[in-house]
Amino acid sequence: MTGRILLKTALFFLIWMALSGKFNFLHLTIGLGLSLGIAWLNTWPLTGDKMRVSWVGVLTYVPWLFSRILASSIHMVRLILDPKLPIDPQLFGHQTSLPHHAAVVLLGNSITLTPGTITVEVSPNELTVHSIDPASSNDLLSGTLEKKVATVFPSQPRMKA
Amino acid sequence: MGGPRRRMATTIAIIFLSLGLFFLLVAAIGMVRLPDVFARAHAVGLTDTMGAFFMLFGLAIYEGFSLNMLKILVVFSLLYLLNPVVTHATIRAALRAGVKPWMKGPS
């Protein structure tokens, strides 16, 4: 426990020094105090369950999500600038069977981050999504987004809701 | 304006900043044109993602490799982590307060 706190403190302190770029007494003591405090806060259990994250999954997921965000942004610009304003908003529930709370959170955040779709309500099994037109929710309805999220959190048994 | 390298960086930065401004402008137009809270939140999402991305990317190129570029990257990643949370909270509050989403069709 203490070892973990010290390790995290050292890491945060390094980041502090890199970002502040000042090495006088005042900056270093403030940085050390904050690093220690944040490292201590970090030991509080937030979810209570362990998770495994595939870093390869993360490194492929982020660029993919970004390309989707770019594509739907352009779609959104077209919708807004169209003189007829051809929007068709819908509110629908989406069942999900992702293994972990963190995975559902990532799915919900990805949906909200993509222009054109917003997660309105979240539960471990279902997301309520508002979309501005049917084309915006294609990725979600076809299950592509969920499959990509699953690659970030590999092979874990489904936890109880 | 420095050497040709510096001038090129400035040109690229201006192009990216203009792209970002374009997305911000469209988001502002969307705020006015769209019918209700929910639809407007989608327009604001444009600012959060593409607008902020192109603006920060332009600034990072203008700065070149320096401490400030690292700081811009930190701002960028924090923005992408926090924005969906805020948007989600706002929209959920609207729905729970009883705002009815605007739907297409005769109503």
Side-chain angles (χ1 to χ4, degrees), chain B residues 11-102:
Chain B
T11 313
I12 296 173
I14 288 174
I15 290 172
F16 276 104
L17 288 177
S18 312
L19 262 172
L21 275 177
F22 170 72
F23 277 104
L24 293 184
L25 179 71
V26 171
I29 294 172
M31 277 296 283
V32 179
R33 291 198 73 195
L34 292 172
D36 73 339
V37 184
F38 300 93
R40 281 178 175 147
H42 293 298
V44 176
L46 220 54
T47 330
D48 300 344
T49 53
M50 284 347 276
F53 169 73
F54 282 123
M55 292 299 254
L56 290 175
F57 197 69
L59 287 178
I61 286 178
Y62 186 76
E63 278 297 326
F65 285 101
S66 70
L67 199 61
N68 287 339
M69 195 185 200
L70 194 68
K71 285 178 188 171
I72 288 171
L73 279 177
V74 171
V75 169
F76 180 64
S77 42
L78 278 181
L79 206 62
Y80 267 54
L81 283 176
L82 295 181
N83 259 323
V85 181
V86 176
T87 311
H88 162 70
T90 314
I91 289 308
R92 187 169 74 157
L95 195 76
R96 287 193 178 178
V99 179
K100 291 268 175 297
W102 182 90

Side-chain angles (χ1 to χ4, degrees), chain A residues 8-21 31 35, chain B residues 67 70-71 74:
Chain A
K8 277 179 182 168
T9 307
L11 183 68
F12 295 150
F13 192 49
L14 273 178
I15 294 172
W16 170 279
M17 284 196 290
L19 286 178
S20 87
S35 309
Chain B
L67 199 61
L70 194 68
K71 285 178 188 171
V74 171

